[in-house]
Amino acid sequence: MNTLLDYGFTDRIRGLFSYSFPSPDTSSPEPARVIRADRGRVLLMTGSGPLQVETGASIVTGDWVALARNDDDGALPPAIVGTLPRYSTLQRKRAHDPLSEAQVLGANIDLVGVVVPIDRPLSANRLERTLVAAWDSGAVPLVILTKADLTGRFDEVVAQTMERARGVEVFTTSAEAGDGLDALHARIGSGCTLALIGPSGAGKSTLINALVGFEAQHTGDVRAGDGKGRHTTTARELIPLGAGSVLMDTPGVRGFALWDAEDGLEAVFGDIEELFRSCRFRDCAHDAEPGCAVRAAIESGVVEERRWLSYRKMQRELASLHRRQSVAEQRRHGRSFHRIAKEAALAKDYRNRFIEG
């Protein structure tokens, strides 16, 4: 049976837990990790095994929580009484959400594996966008190429991916042939959590099954026409890999709307942002101004125009997000102000009528 150690409970997590939840007696809360989070209920791995607990808090897969057993006779159910601060958070803007809320995909992740299937054309814009979110999470991104046995364009796709990834480690794998699995296994290391993200049909579940050595995740067929697959993974779930390493499979995502990802944008497009300092004018818009270092780099071939346009699109997206966040915050403050003003007016009327009058 799996234990808490199999789900990444290292000495570092033990120390953080002791610091965050100090208690001198035996009734102190115990550490647990969220294996899977569903609506109103989470599956935890505790020191004594798995346990389902109801919760109304914003707890996600990967969270470390403090669990209170409450009493010995079982009259009260176990309850989560606290959460360790997250050292990394993989998130995106919730799709089709006018209120601009974040959707947290997973927490306390050490490595984010961006899964790219070799058997379909490489989407450079999608890769860059996902790497921006991965860098911004606080984890270290990897690019994992899958299905290496299904294409004759192996060298071409690997070279393109390494160029687009710009310094991010790239691993080439074939789950069917077993190629590249040992190298990826070694990179994950002991006590680390690796989250896999990518489109449906990219081979995430098949890769997990190959890494753990048994069918931990259901896999589905991929359509021959467009290379798309069904969502065989329907929820984020932790799967022990051995030696305290943990894998997190995630449902395939069609799009990745960014959420407060300026740091990630700088990590992926730092070379472009560095050019801004060399422009003749400090307020250069990088369109047609004289002495623009960005335009000069594009015209000389140093910077690919597609990459510049990809950067500008994500930059505009984040600016629009911040504007909506600002408007929403102003509305919240406005409602609070009117509520406080109304309460103050009622209190004043009460004093005038019943106390002073």
Side-chain angles (χ1 to χ4, degrees), residues 15-238:
L16 289 172
F17 191 88
S18 299
Y19 177 81
S20 300
F21 302 102
S23 183
D25 54 49
T26 57
S27 63
S28 60
E30 61 178 285
R33 193 170 197 191
V34 179
I35 299 176
R36 178 181 174 128
D38 297 302
R39 292 182 179 179
R41 180 178 290 269
V42 295
L43 177 62
L44 303 177
M45 175 54 68
T46 72
S48 56
L51 177 69
Q52 282 196 337
V53 176
E54 293 185 358
T55 177
S58 300
I59 295 175
V60 302
T61 302
D63 270 332
W64 288 100
V65 300
L67 179 70
R69 297 287 182 172
N70 290 321
D71 57 11
D72 296 329
D73 58 12
L76 294 174
I80 294 174
V81 295
T83 307
L84 279 186
R86 297 166 179 165
Y87 60 81
S88 67
T89 305
L90 180 63
Q91 58 188 355
R92 66 172 180 172
K93 178 183 171 295
R94 196 176 295 277
H96 311 298
D97 180 15
L99 298 180
S100 302
E101 292 186 0
Q103 178 188 18
V104 179
L105 303 180
N108 302 313
I109 298 162
D110 300 286
L111 301 170
V112 176
V114 181
V115 180
V116 179
I118 304 183
D119 64 337
R120 66 184 74 170
L122 175 67
S123 173
N125 290 353
R126 183 191 182 97
L127 175 61
E128 289 166 350
R129 174 177 289 270
T130 312
L131 285 174
V132 167
W135 274 118
D136 202 69
S137 71
V140 176
L142 310 172
V143 176
I144 304 174
L145 297 172
T146 59
K147 308 183 181 183
D149 56 313
L150 298 181
T151 179
R153 300 174 54 245
F154 179 89
D155 292 337
E156 177 187 349
V157 175
V158 171
Q160 288 179 355
T161 304
M162 294 183 69
E163 180 183 356
R164 305 302 186 200
R166 302 185 66 82
V168 174
E169 291 180 270
V170 177
F171 293 82
T172 305
T173 66
S174 168
E176 296 295 332
D179 296 336
L181 301 182
D182 289 341
L184 182 57
H185 230 301
R187 178 62 183 88
I188 298 170
S190 176
C192 286
T193 297
L194 167 67
L196 300 177
I197 57 175
S200 298
K204 300 186 298 297
S205 297
T206 303
L207 177 63
I208 285 179
N209 291 340
L211 287 170
V212 301
F214 61 93
E215 190 170 348
Q217 297 291 82
H218 176 66
T219 59
D221 296 328
V222 176
R223 294 199 300 259
D226 55 12
K228 295 182 179 180
R230 296 192 303 270
H231 293 285
T232 54
T233 301
T234 57
R236 287 162 284 279
E237 183 174 356
L238 298 185

